Amino acid sequence: MANVLPRDKQIQIISALVEGVSIRSIERMTGVHRDTIMRLMVKVGQACEALHNKIMCELPCEAIEIDEIWGFVAKKQRNVDPTKDNVSVVGDAWTFVAIDADTKLIPAFRTGKRDAENTRLFIQDLASRLTNRVQISSDAFALYAREIDATFDSAVDYATVVKTYENDPMGTGNNGKYSPGRVTSIEKTAKIGSPDLETTSTSYVERQNLTIRMSNRRMTRLTNAFSKKLENHKAAMALHFANYNLCRVHRTLRVTPAMAAGVTDTVWTVANLVDVANQ
């Protein structure tokens, strides 16, 4: 069981997980059975989510970018059989992500289906953590405008960013399957309030999507390292965001995002996350 592993071994395992190492690779590296690794990951991930809910409050953010990143649980959506599968916990699993453009902090995230209910809960969670009137930027996902307006009661500045990509030239063999073409135009549209369209952007949250895929093995494309259970997927995402916010020093800021936002005044370590889970 995860709770009888020596502390140093737990730290070694969690450190490998947040660096994007697969569970089976960690099993070979540490000699710890993959089921034990998984149980430890879920335990620490759930503790990280509770920690996030506790400390990410009254945040003085001013510019927020939001987006969703795709993953899946058990099987891809096209393989889901509604007559046999529980469609609420298998298939597509989207993680909604908000990032502060100034401090690079992730103040809110939510994993679930890309539907009205999860969009509403994500926006409400984000709003509950902020103290200032903020400017929010997103892509043109239709549910955002309605939920932002309903949650913030128009006390927000909101704009969308829509990018147009060129088609890949014929004969390249790519045809846009794994990467988009070159951006040919960007259209920014004010939706609510008076957003500054000069600073409206989704670049930071899109870059965060890359960080997620590099740091979380189950989110790496074209591999078989996907989540088998929704509980595991949620725990893995919570672990990533805790490590990103509290432990990883941002190269430009030279502090962690949590330090830049005033959430903490020290750089956390993976050992701190493990200790929180073991309290």
Side-chain angles (χ1 to χ4, degrees):
M1 294 293 292
N3 60 356
V4 300
L5 284 175
R7 178 174 179 270
D8 289 346
K9 185 71 73 173
Q10 294 184 41
I11 294 170
Q12 181 185 9
I13 290 170
I14 298 300
S15 296
L17 285 171
V18 298
E19 293 298 333
V21 182
S22 71
I23 287 177
R24 289 183 183 272
S25 294
I26 297 173
E27 181 181 39
R28 292 189 291 270
M29 292 163 54
T30 64
V32 178
H33 193 274
R34 57 186 174 275
D35 291 344
T36 302
I37 295 171
M38 180 64 71
R39 286 194 292 268
L40 176 64
M41 186 275 292
V42 171
K43 175 184 176 182
V44 178
Q46 291 175 343
C48 286
E49 183 173 7
L51 176 66
H52 179 95
N53 291 334
K54 179 180 179 180
I55 67 176
M56 295 297 171
C57 55
E58 298 184 355
L59 301 174
C61 304
E62 296 181 354
I64 296 290
E65 299 177 16
I66 59 177
D67 198 9
E68 328 83 54
I69 182 170
W70 172 82
F72 67 96
V73 174
K75 59 182 70 176
K76 292 183 178 179
Q77 194 65 34
R78 65 173 177 266
N79 298 321
V80 174
D81 184 348
T83 65
K84 298 179 181 179
D85 300 317
N86 183 347
V87 297
S88 65
V89 297
V90 301
D92 287 351
W94 293 82
T95 299
F96 296 81
V97 182
I99 189 170
D100 177 9
D102 298 317
T103 66
K104 310 306 182 289
L105 183 79
I106 305 294
F109 63 91
R110 182 175 182 83
T111 299
K113 297 297 181 181
R114 192 171 181 250
D115 56 18
E117 177 69 6
N118 281 299
T119 305
R120 178 180 63 82
L121 293 173
F122 167 65
I123 296 299
Q124 288 179 348
D125 181 54
L126 172 62
S128 70
R129 301 181 189 279
L130 305 176
T131 58
N132 301 329
R133 181 187 179 102
V134 297
Q135 174 167 315
I136 299 178
S137 305
S138 78
D139 59 16
F141 182 45
L143 293 175
Y144 280 143
R146 184 182 71 188
E147 299 302 337
I148 289 173
D149 189 33
T151 299
F152 286 89
D153 194 22
S154 298
V156 67
D157 301 310
Y158 171 54
T160 59
V161 180
V162 178
K163 297 178 180 179
T164 302
Y165 299 89
E166 70 176 2
N167 292 326
D168 285 342
M170 293 297 293
T172 62
N174 183 23
N175 295 322
K177 184 174 182 181
Y178 299 125
S179 60
R182 184 174 61 88
V183 176
T184 57
S185 66
I186 299 176
E187 181 181 357
K188 301 179 180 180
T189 305
K191 294 293 186 179
I192 301 172
S194 302
D196 180 1
L197 296 184
E198 289 294 323
T199 60
T200 296
S201 173
T202 54
S203 297
Y204 290 126
V205 72
E206 289 169 358
R207 179 58 178 82
Q208 174 60 207
N209 288 347
L210 174 61
T211 300
I212 292 171
R213 296 205 184 277
M214 294 174 64
S215 304
N216 189 332
R217 182 64 174 175
R218 67 193 60 227
M219 295 294 288
T220 305
R221 292 186 181 273
L222 303 179
T223 74
N224 61 355
F226 57 89
S227 298
K228 311 305 187 295
K229 297 179 180 179
L230 182 59
E231 176 189 38
N232 298 346
H233 195 74
K234 288 182 175 180
M237 299 307 296
L239 176 59
H240 164 77
F241 290 121
N243 180 69
Y244 169 83
N245 279 333
L246 296 167
C247 303
R248 291 183 57 170
V249 174
H250 193 281
R251 288 189 177 184
T252 301
L253 300 174
R254 300 196 177 188
V255 293
T256 65
M259 293 174 67
V263 175
T264 181
D265 57 3
T266 60
V267 178
W268 284 48
T269 66
V270 171
N272 295 137
L273 300 182
V274 170
D275 289 341
V276 168
N278 288 330
Q279 289 178 352

